Amino acid sequence: MIPFVVRRDNDLVPNAIAHGGWGPTLGGQVVGGLLARAIEQHVGGDDLQPARLTVEILRRVASAPLRVTAAVVRTGSRMRAVDAAMTQDGELVARASALYLRRGVQPDGDFFTTAITLPPVPEEPARFDESVPMFIRAYGGDVGDRFPWQHSGPRYAWIREIRDLVDGEELTPFVRAAMAVDVTASLTNFSTKGLAFINADYTLALSRLPVGPYIGLAALTHYSDAGVATGSASLFDTRGPIGSGVSTAIANFNFDPGNRREDSTAG
């Protein structure tokens, strides 16, 4: 299956499948995945947990060769902070910051959280559709021919990456989570009229790494005014909750759903 990007000397070269739903530019999940990949290469040891990743898309990332670099900015006894930058023709187009925390003893006691029940994990198809960037099963309202998130009620999704991010490299759990959390933007910003907000940045917060290839999302909030929006979602794997996603977005009316076809189930 065609990967999102291939290596060429010191560059990473995107394939057309890496395009997002806003035209011939890279999708947010590819940008975030590449930045997370670079960050992860600066952290070793199983006792450090990626607890937070923030991805800032400073301009639309062209479908052209790019470079990603990362560096440790601070290391302490219980943490490590790493920054990453994505450039094209020497110009900064996206950046990310990550915080790793050292695992330790879990405190006693019961903790409150909002109860969420996701739909069951979808049955894996015998063969994945190679024309789409990922396998995604969307759940929402019974809205006829419209996309199931195009309603004013609860929304969910199960996501499975089906191709290499970089040719020949197996996706790590952290990179899978960094790619999946980009869906927070569309999951939370759909209205009854469609999707009219484009991601400006997003944050992934993890209590643990996902297990297995499937990551689920449940929309929690959407707040917007005067064309500026923020939305949040809970993230799960097949064993239970793993963290949260937050998206910051700005109004944009050029979304082409045909450029990012998604499997869907109303319910």
Side-chain angles (χ1 to χ4, degrees):
M1 191 173 290
I2 296 172
F4 284 117
V5 303
V6 296
R7 287 181 292 261
R8 182 190 298 164
D9 298 326
N10 293 324
D11 292 336
L12 296 171
V13 183
N15 287 314
I17 195 67
H19 293 173
W22 306 92
T25 56
L26 265 61
Q29 90 279 14
V30 177
V31 174
L34 291 173
L35 289 163
R37 169 182 173 267
I39 285 169
E40 195 169 41
Q41 293 171 1
H42 288 267
V43 181
D46 293 338
D47 57 341
L48 282 174
Q49 158 76 39
R52 194 263 306 153
L53 171 74
T54 297
V55 175
E56 298 178 76
I57 303 171
L58 303 175
R59 61 174 56 203
R60 294 188 181 185
V61 183
S63 184
L66 57 88
R67 294 188 179 186
V68 184
T69 59
V72 176
V73 295
R74 184 175 184 273
T75 296
S77 62
R78 303 181 67 187
M79 57 81 69
R80 180 171 299 175
V82 187
D83 287 354
M86 178 178 291
T87 58
Q88 288 184 316
D89 293 326
E91 186 170 3
L92 183 66
V93 295
R95 62 188 178 190
S97 64
L99 177 66
Y100 281 70
L101 299 177
R102 194 169 301 282
R103 297 181 182 91
V105 177
Q106 173 68 8
D108 292 330
D110 297 325
F111 300 91
F112 171 79
T113 189
T114 302
I116 297 171
T117 301
L118 261 71
V121 177
E123 183 178 347
E124 188 153 316
R127 184 173 182 176
F128 291 108
D129 183 354
E130 296 190 20
S131 69
V132 296
M134 70 183 76
F135 175 78
I136 175 169
R137 181 64 55 84
Y139 301 84
D142 184 4
V143 291
D145 293 335
R146 293 179 296 164
F147 191 66
W149 292 346
Q150 194 170 330
H151 78 130
S152 59
R155 301 168 195 154
Y156 310 93
W158 281 105
I159 297 166
R160 189 197 195 289
E161 297 297 337
I162 59 176
R163 65 185 71 245
D164 292 347
L165 174 62
V166 178
D167 191 21
E169 293 184 9
E170 183 177 353
L171 293 175
T172 66
F174 179 47
V175 171
R176 284 187 181 275
M179 297 175 73
V181 74
D182 173 64
V183 176
T184 301
S186 53
L187 179 73
T188 62
N189 288 323
F190 254 96
S191 73
T192 56
K193 298 294 185 180
L195 179 60
F197 285 96
I198 187 172
N199 228 356
D201 69 27
Y202 57 88
T203 293
L204 167 69
L206 286 172
S207 62
R208 65 173 175 85
L209 286 169
V211 175
Y214 281 90
I215 295 179
L217 291 93
L220 296 179
T221 63
H222 168 94
Y223 305 117
S224 60
D225 185 72
V228 175
T230 182
S232 64
S234 283
L235 273 66
F236 295 76
D237 63 10
T238 56
R239 298 184 181 183
I242 62 172
S244 304
V246 176
S247 166
T248 304
I250 189 167
N252 189 294
F253 302 96
N254 298 318
F255 181 71
D256 177 12
N259 203 35
R260 181 173 293 279
R261 206 172 80 231
E262 295 165 321
D263 192 7
S264 63
T265 296

